[in-house]
Amino acid sequence: MSETPEIRKGLYGVVVDETSVSKVVPETNSLTYRGYPVQELARYCSFEEVAYLLWNGRLPTQESLIRFSAREKALRHLDRHLIDLIMSMPLSCHPMDVLRTAVSFIGAQDPDAYTRDSEHVRHSALELMAKLPTIVALDIRRRQGKSYIEPSRKKGFAENFLWMVFGDEEGSPANSRSNIEAFDKSLILYAEHSFNASTFTGRVVTSTMSDTYSAVVAAIGALKGPLHGGANEAVMHNMLEIDDPSKAEAWAKEKLNNKDLVMGFGHRVYKKGDSRVPTMEAAFKELAEEHGQTKWVEMYDILAKTMEENTSIKIKPNLDFPAGPAYYILGFPIEFFTPIFVMARITGWTAHIVEQNENNSLIRPLSAYVGEEQRSVPPKSF
């Protein structure tokens, strides 16, 4: 009699490969990128420096950062054909559909798309990092009936995106250093998180010896799901539904009593709370104070307290909980929270694509069959 295999639904607890890109260190409960705690990276580094770190395994020198940033800025422009494609897409479609289609188009234009050389993959990654914000900003503005703002070749990554979305009119987040820094921190915190669903999807596609763009398109499809990238959108929808902080506790208790999933809380990896939350929470609260929207902070605190005190395992917030209202305060449309997530996570995805290529093995798990036993096809009766 054959031994019954152990089945772990969702691959929970299964170690499928090695990585040197990131790790949650149990002793410090800290997410690290290439060994550096993410909270320290968010405090001392720019998103560009973190992208360089993820792709190269080390932080850049001042000279290498200048070169890296110049290359990224030079790749931000979209050609007329891609702009026309984006403008032709239905306004009713989800912004993630636009992003997915745009990446496919960029890949189709690359004559060396199937080149698996690490340097070419890094170049493709840099081009996607540079162009995705331009694509997202164009999509936001076209849905608002506003004209396209060309990317800047002088502004930093975070500032450039805010500029392309909001312009420089009075009150624009692009004119506020604190807004730019808060957004930059969010990108750093979202950049990478080991073998999460979308990253693993990208690595599976890469393991078949497919191209970088196909792997990224697949990862975008995985991130589109509300149990993964869509969580920050759901958080803000919930907050808008509650609307009044005085109703937040009752709302949370009703959800818990009904055993409903409350987005923005809990995490498969963290046992003592998401180490990214304190940094994002501080940035969110500073934004709320600056923009006069402190009711979201009051609601946030009540929901966090209620969830922790009324669950046996003391469920704590994850990164999506403070990121959702932070993005809302900055003025981003809710349906674009996940595409913004992609703008950050493209760095982590492509770091893993490079790693998968350099030591590849086809990812092909087994399954336990629970269907009908082998049987014969009955003779026809007609």
Side-chain angles (χ1 to χ4, degrees):
M1 182 180 294
S2 61
E3 185 177 330
T4 303
E6 180 184 8
I7 300 171
R8 296 196 178 185
K9 297 286 282 186
L11 298 180
Y12 182 74
V14 175
V15 177
V16 299
D17 207 339
E18 298 176 331
T19 183
S20 62
V21 181
S22 71
K23 177 186 179 181
V24 175
V25 180
E27 294 77 12
T28 60
N29 195 52
S30 180
L31 171 64
T32 59
Y33 297 168
R34 303 291 190 181
Y36 293 102
V38 71
Q39 60 270 23
E40 292 183 17
L41 292 170
R43 185 180 305 125
Y44 300 119
C45 300
S46 66
F47 178 65
E48 292 93 320
E49 289 174 280
V50 171
Y52 185 98
L53 168 68
L54 289 170
W55 292 337
N56 296 283
R58 62 188 184 280
L59 286 167
T61 63
Q62 183 177 10
E63 183 180 345
S64 57
L65 178 61
I66 290 171
R67 289 198 304 269
F68 178 79
S69 296
R71 289 173 57 213
E72 182 270 317
K73 290 171 182 174
L75 292 168
R76 291 173 176 175
H77 179 75
L78 305 182
D79 69 36
R80 188 71 248 173
H81 298 294
L82 180 52
I83 292 173
D84 289 344
L85 173 64
I86 293 167
M87 295 299 292
S88 72
M89 294 192 70
L91 294 175
S92 58
C93 75
H94 194 282
M96 289 290 277
D97 298 334
V98 174
L99 207 54
R100 182 191 65 216
T101 303
V103 171
S104 287
F105 184 85
I106 294 169
Q109 291 183 309
D110 183 355
D112 300 315
Y114 274 90
T115 302
R116 296 168 65 83
D117 173 74
S118 295
E119 284 308 307
H120 181 75
V121 174
R122 288 188 183 95
H123 174 77
S124 301
L126 185 64
E127 182 172 18
L128 289 174
M129 172 186 165
K131 285 180 166 49
L132 290 182
T134 314
I135 294 164
V136 174
L138 170 59
D139 196 21
I140 290 175
R141 291 185 68 82
R142 79 178 182 111
R143 291 170 191 261
Q144 295 174 341
K146 297 178 180 178
S147 59
Y148 171 48
I149 296 178
E150 291 274 356
S152 166
R153 293 190 64 163
K154 296 181 178 179
K155 302 179 189 297
F157 188 90
E159 182 182 5
N160 175 62
F161 180 68
L162 293 174
W163 146 256
M164 290 190 295
V165 173
F166 301 109
D168 61 357
E169 60 266 19
E170 186 178 352
S172 168
N175 296 333
S176 165
R177 179 49 49 186
S178 58
N179 286 188
I180 294 168
E181 290 176 353
F183 181 56
D184 195 64
K185 282 182 171 62
S186 78
L187 296 174
I188 292 170
L189 298 173
Y190 268 128
E192 160 60 10
H193 210 265
S194 192
F195 278 33
N196 58 83
S198 56
T199 298
F200 186 63
T201 299
R203 290 191 72 131
V204 170
V205 174
T206 301
S207 80
T208 70
M209 298 187 71
S210 188
D211 63 287
T212 299
Y213 305 96
S214 294
V216 170
V217 167
I220 289 172
L223 193 69
K224 185 181 178 182
L227 292 183
H228 189 14
N232 53 13
E233 297 181 23
V235 166
M236 199 60 224
H237 282 303
N238 287 341
M239 285 189 167
L240 288 170
E241 178 187 330
I242 297 167
D243 189 51
D244 186 342
S246 66
K247 300 176 182 177
E249 182 178 358
W251 182 92
K253 286 182 175 179
E254 182 180 2
K255 291 289 184 181
L256 291 171
N257 289 337
N258 293 336
K259 301 187 185 308
D260 293 334
L261 182 64
V262 180
M263 304 303 282
F265 287 88
H267 200 282
R268 274 196 172 188
V269 176
Y270 297 99
K271 304 305 179 187
K272 299 177 183 177
D274 188 334
S275 65
R276 301 167 295 179
V277 166
T279 301
M280 194 66 234
E281 181 181 300
F284 152 56
K285 290 184 175 180
E286 288 175 11
L287 285 173
E289 189 69 33
E290 179 177 340
H291 289 262
Q293 298 192 44
T294 54
K295 85 168 188 177
W296 305 119
V297 173
E298 187 179 351
M299 189 181 301
Y300 175 98
D301 289 339
I302 292 169
L303 288 171
K305 181 180 179 182
T306 305
M307 291 296 293
E308 183 169 3
E309 292 182 351
N310 291 271
T311 53
S312 59
I313 57 174
K314 298 186 179 300
I315 297 178
K316 297 178 182 295
N318 59 45
L319 175 59
D320 294 311
F321 191 50
Y327 284 174
Y328 184 79
I329 290 169
L330 283 171
F332 298 128
I334 295 174
E335 66 270 25
F336 280 89
F337 290 5
T338 309
I340 292 170
F341 188 160
V342 174
M343 286 166 37
R345 189 55 63 84
I346 188 66
T347 55
W349 285 343
T350 47
H352 281 274
I353 289 171
V354 169
E355 189 174 65
Q356 184 70 38
N357 276 331
E358 290 179 343
N359 188 22
N360 189 49
S361 179
L362 177 65
I363 299 172
R364 203 291 191 190
L366 300 176
S367 61
Y369 179 71
V370 294
E372 295 283 350
E373 294 299 328
Q374 182 172 330
R375 49 186 172 168
S376 299
V377 177
K380 291 182 179 178
S381 59
F382 56 88

